[in-house]
Amino acid sequence: MLEFQEKDGKLVCVFKGALNTEACWEVEKELYAKIGAGGQAVIFDLQGVDFVASAFLRICLTAYKKVGGDNFYIVNLRPGVKRVFKISGFDQGLNIVD
Amino acid sequence: MSESEHVQEIETIVSKAAQAAAVFTQYDQAQVDRIARAVYEAGFNHRVPLAKLAHAETGLGKWQDKVLKNVVATQLVYEDIKDLPTVGIVHEDHRAGIVEIACPMGPILAIIPVTNPTSTVLFKILIALKTRNPIIISPSKKARKCSIETARLCYEAALKEDAPEDCVQWVEPASREQTQHLMCHPRIALILATGGTGLVHSAYSSGTPALGVGAGNVPVFVERTADLAFTVEQILISKTFDYGTICASEQAIIAEQCVAGELIAQFQRRQGYFLSKAEVAQLENVAFDRTKGLMNAEIVGQSAEVIAKQAGLQVPLGTQLLLAPLEGVGKDHPLSSEILAPILAFYTAKDFEHAVDLCIELNFHGGIGHTVSIFSNDEAKIKQFAGLMNAGRIVVNTPSSQGAVGGIFNTLSPSLTLGCGTGGKNITTDNITARHLLNIQRIARRRMNISFTSFDQDAYLDETLDAHAIETAYHRNT
């Protein structure tokens, strides 16, 4: 469900599968501990994600606040997931990169 | 809560609803149907305690009848919509090259009336979640607890089937301004406005798409071929149901003179009490608020005996209906208006034409577009009558309340939000159901209009060629 990689000094969080509420509970603790620790820029890679629940939108918001707006990116959103960010308005504040 | 706190609360609720709407777009038909089933079961299984709660909180109607309203709102509505495709491709016409795709609308604001505070919540949540639309319940101030409890039950059931968080929320606007603020919010996709004319008018004026209802003033025409004993039984089933709180309940009987005497006798045999002229005046003072020009809210949903007592009338024990013989329709005859209680105006008409005239007057006196009723076994008269009325529902030989709501005495879609068309300042005369909560998108594949493309279009520039000439050439099959 979640793997961590280092790339050019950035922490890349690679998510996979359906990020429903239960899945989000499972990864939250470890995720926040990791992204708080290093003070690096953080990238959420959602290439392998086919579903996001509201809980994941909250995770993105929390990560954005923890890391700082200029150091947080969300990349490789599939169209269905990108639409969720668009409809919910979450694409407005977060750095979403194709 | 202060004004600014209320505004902030509304922003938070709407923002959560928008998120739920976004998440809902990812659900497939199977997931949605599991959620709908869970909500139906939860509502149905709690139909009795919710009905009792509604009765205890509002003091209106009868809890036993509120149970039946909850049954309609859950079981009958679910039966009607359970197989309705509401996700993805819902219709394909290969020949025409058209494919229809069902898409949700977005967050729905649901206004709930005090008269049906649990059944309307059940109904609206069921049809909203079946169509992947998050819903925000706005309860009546006088039925806050029971409406919120109903919403909470449904939400918990939905969550157990992995429905999006915040797919059901409730809000308590403390003032009209706050309700207006919510209605006008740009992220609300639709308002389902079940309530009085003022509220429905606000909904339509808000700038947000709305589906509203209208007031009813249902005339019941008892035509000479009606089975009179049967007619009275059906009217009693309807008008005593929940003590007359359904807007589609009968308001006035119009009987052809040749059957009026026997009809009166049938009512009297079944605990219908006919008022004298003096008694009519006494009842008017209690049932109608002349300053507002509306029924007196105090008698809404009260029994005939309770109302009679308030009016100082001596009626036999067990009286179920108070019938007021009237000569005219309008503000000089207050009981010719809508009164949501077991009170009926009674008119004797010379003949069919006179009866229809009276029905039209009543229909137009505060009930345009809602419902009319006829008891008759003459098909031609039924159709003639129907064509002259302005009503979304013309119920035949059935109780009007249950008949208009649908699903029990006829095959109308069961609904607790009955459109009254443009006469009632609504956009539809339909019984609102899940079908109305979808945005249908159409793929339109190339299918050439051969008549148009093979026609010499220079002919259009020749002003000497009229429609007939063009039409002949247009439809040549060569």
Side-chain angles (χ1 to χ4, degrees):
Chain A
M1 203 177 310
L2 174 58
E3 273 176 23
F4 296 101
Q5 296 170 2
E6 291 279 337
K7 216 171 187 177
D8 304 326
K10 298 184 184 64
L11 175 67
V12 181
C13 309
V14 182
F15 293 89
K16 276 193 171 63
L19 298 178
N20 56 27
T21 309
E22 215 178 298
C24 290
W25 288 340
E26 283 175 25
V27 304
E28 255 183 319
K29 224 174 174 175
E30 188 192 359
L31 177 67
Y32 293 151
K34 198 93 179 179
I35 66 175
Q40 313 155 273
V42 170
I43 297 173
F44 278 8
D45 186 336
L46 305 189
Q47 175 68 48
V49 171
D50 52 20
F51 176 91
V52 293
S54 298
F56 185 72
L57 298 177
R58 283 198 296 280
I59 287 175
C60 293
L61 197 57
T62 305
Y64 174 87
K65 287 176 183 169
K66 254 184 174 306
V67 174
D70 293 337
N71 284 328
F72 177 67
Y73 301 87
I74 304 175
V75 302
N76 297 330
L77 278 73
R78 291 197 198 173
V81 172
K82 195 172 190 179
R83 190 169 64 157
V84 174
F85 280 80
K86 179 111 190 124
I87 294 172
S88 62
F90 269 63
D91 62 331
Q92 296 301 302
L94 304 173
N95 297 318
I96 295 178
V97 180
D98 285 326
Chain B
M1 219 187 263
S2 69
E3 174 78 25
S4 61
E5 280 168 337
H6 262 291
V7 169
Q8 187 49 54
E9 189 199 15
I10 285 170
E11 287 302 320
T12 303
I13 284 172
V14 175
S15 174
K16 285 180 178 177
Q19 284 179 49
V23 171
F24 235 152
T25 59
Q26 304 165 101
Y27 283 57
D28 62 26
Q29 190 70 67
Q31 288 171 301
V32 161
D33 287 347
R34 279 197 297 273
I35 292 166
R37 170 110 205 154
V39 168
Y40 142 59
E41 284 188 8
F44 183 82
N45 292 342
H46 289 88
R47 62 197 180 280
V48 173
L50 289 177
K52 286 180 174 174
L53 201 59
H55 180 252
E57 188 174 0
T58 64
L60 300 180
K62 296 181 241 173
W63 73 262
Q64 295 91 335
D65 290 341
K66 291 190 188 306
V67 171
L68 191 55
K69 284 185 185 179
N70 289 344
V71 169
V72 170
T74 50
Q75 184 189 7
L76 295 195
V77 169
Y78 179 71
E79 286 293 326
D80 187 51
I81 66 172
K82 68 181 183 188
D83 297 324
L84 182 71
T86 54
V87 178
I89 292 175
V90 296
H91 183 69
E92 284 193 81
D93 182 339
H94 294 290
R95 195 159 174 271
I98 302 284
V99 174
E100 292 184 348
I101 301 169
C103 301
M105 287 187 163
I108 292 175
L109 173 63
I111 313 291
I112 308 297
V114 66
T115 45
N116 307 310
T118 56
S119 47
T120 310
V121 170
L122 293 168
F123 160 66
K124 289 187 180 181
I125 290 177
L126 193 46
I127 61 172
L129 298 190
K130 169 74 182 182
T131 49
R132 298 184 292 168
N133 294 302
I135 186 163
I136 301 169
I137 300 294
S138 176
S140 161
K141 279 189 205 171
K142 295 177 186 169
R144 194 192 134 267
K145 268 192 284 198
C146 61
S147 292
I148 289 174
E149 174 60 14
T150 307
R152 187 190 62 75
L153 268 162
C154 291
Y155 181 45
E156 284 175 5
L159 283 183
K160 284 188 180 140
E161 291 298 332
D162 295 321
E165 279 179 58
D166 304 314
C167 61
V168 179
Q169 297 184 83
W170 41 92
V171 67
E172 299 183 65
S175 67
R176 277 184 188 260
E177 291 71 30
Q178 280 148 355
T179 306
Q180 195 62 29
H181 176 80
L182 198 46
M183 284 187 185
C184 298
H185 199 292
R187 301 188 93 180
I188 296 291
L190 178 78
I191 305 168
L192 278 177
T194 311
T197 32
L199 175 108
V200 172
H201 179 73
S202 295
Y204 277 118
S205 310
S206 68
T208 301
L211 288 168
V213 299
N217 193 23
V218 181
V220 185
F221 176 24
V222 182
E223 192 268 331
R224 65 183 62 201
T225 61
D227 178 329
L228 299 177
F230 171 79
T231 295
V232 169
E233 280 160 12
Q234 301 303 297
I235 292 170
L236 273 165
I237 287 171
S238 172
K239 192 62 178 172
T240 60
F241 183 80
D242 212 25
Y243 290 142
T245 49
I246 293 188
C247 52
S249 60
E250 297 82 350
Q251 300 300 320
I253 311 288
I254 298 86
E256 277 200 78
Q257 195 164 53
C258 53
V259 297
E262 177 57 24
L263 189 67
I264 290 169
Q266 293 288 349
F267 269 113
Q268 287 171 325
R269 253 175 243 150
R270 291 170 180 77
Q271 290 87 46
Y273 179 79
F274 279 81
L275 303 163
S276 66
K277 222 168 178 170
E279 287 172 331
V280 167
Q282 275 177 265
L283 183 60
E284 280 172 2
N285 291 336
V286 157
F288 197 78
D289 184 334
R290 287 173 203 269
T291 49
K292 289 183 184 165
L294 289 171
M295 65 188 128
N296 181 1
E298 300 286 311
I299 55 99
V300 167
Q302 302 304 315
S303 72
E305 285 182 300
V306 162
I307 295 169
K309 196 172 177 191
Q310 280 182 17
L313 300 170
Q314 301 292 326
V315 302
L317 196 62
T319 293
Q320 293 201 76
L321 271 183
L322 300 171
L323 294 116
L326 298 181
E327 301 287 330
V329 178
K331 60 180 174 56
D332 294 333
H333 308 275
L335 299 184
S336 66
S337 303
E338 180 191 36
I339 307 208
L340 298 182
I343 297 170
L344 279 168
F346 189 94
Y347 298 88
T348 303
K350 287 196 306 281
D351 51 24
F352 178 81
E353 282 73 26
H354 183 210
V356 169
D357 275 345
L358 280 168
C359 289
I360 290 173
E361 278 193 68
L362 286 156
N363 182 202
F364 277 69
H365 182 55
I368 295 181
H370 201 299
T371 304
V372 299
S373 170
I374 180 169
F375 284 86
S376 168
N377 288 295
D378 185 329
E379 265 309 306
K381 289 266 166 59
I382 290 169
K383 284 179 179 152
Q384 192 180 353
F385 172 73
L388 292 164
M389 294 296 122
N390 184 331
R393 289 144 292 274
I394 298 107
V395 295
V396 181
N397 297 337
T398 68
S400 184
S401 305
Q402 296 90 333
V405 160
I408 301 177
F409 288 93
N410 53 41
T411 57
L412 289 175
S413 292
S415 173
L416 292 171
T417 296
L418 309 180
C420 296
T422 51
K425 296 295 182 192
N426 300 157
I427 196 61
T428 181
T429 53
D430 290 351
N431 284 16
I432 301 302
T433 183
R435 286 170 191 80
H436 297 89
L437 305 186
L438 292 169
N439 281 331
I440 299 293
Q441 300 181 173
R442 291 176 180 83
I443 303 173
R445 290 204 166 76
R446 187 182 177 89
R447 297 285 188 274
M448 296 307 296
N449 177 343
I450 303 297
S451 298
F452 189 80
T453 52
S454 58
F455 179 72
D456 178 7
Q457 293 182 33
D458 282 342
Y460 290 127
L461 303 176
D462 183 350
E463 62 185 311
T464 66
L465 295 174
D466 64 9
H468 179 73
I470 295 283
E471 206 179 330
T472 306
Y474 186 86
H475 288 294
R476 272 167 70 96
N477 190 18
T478 52

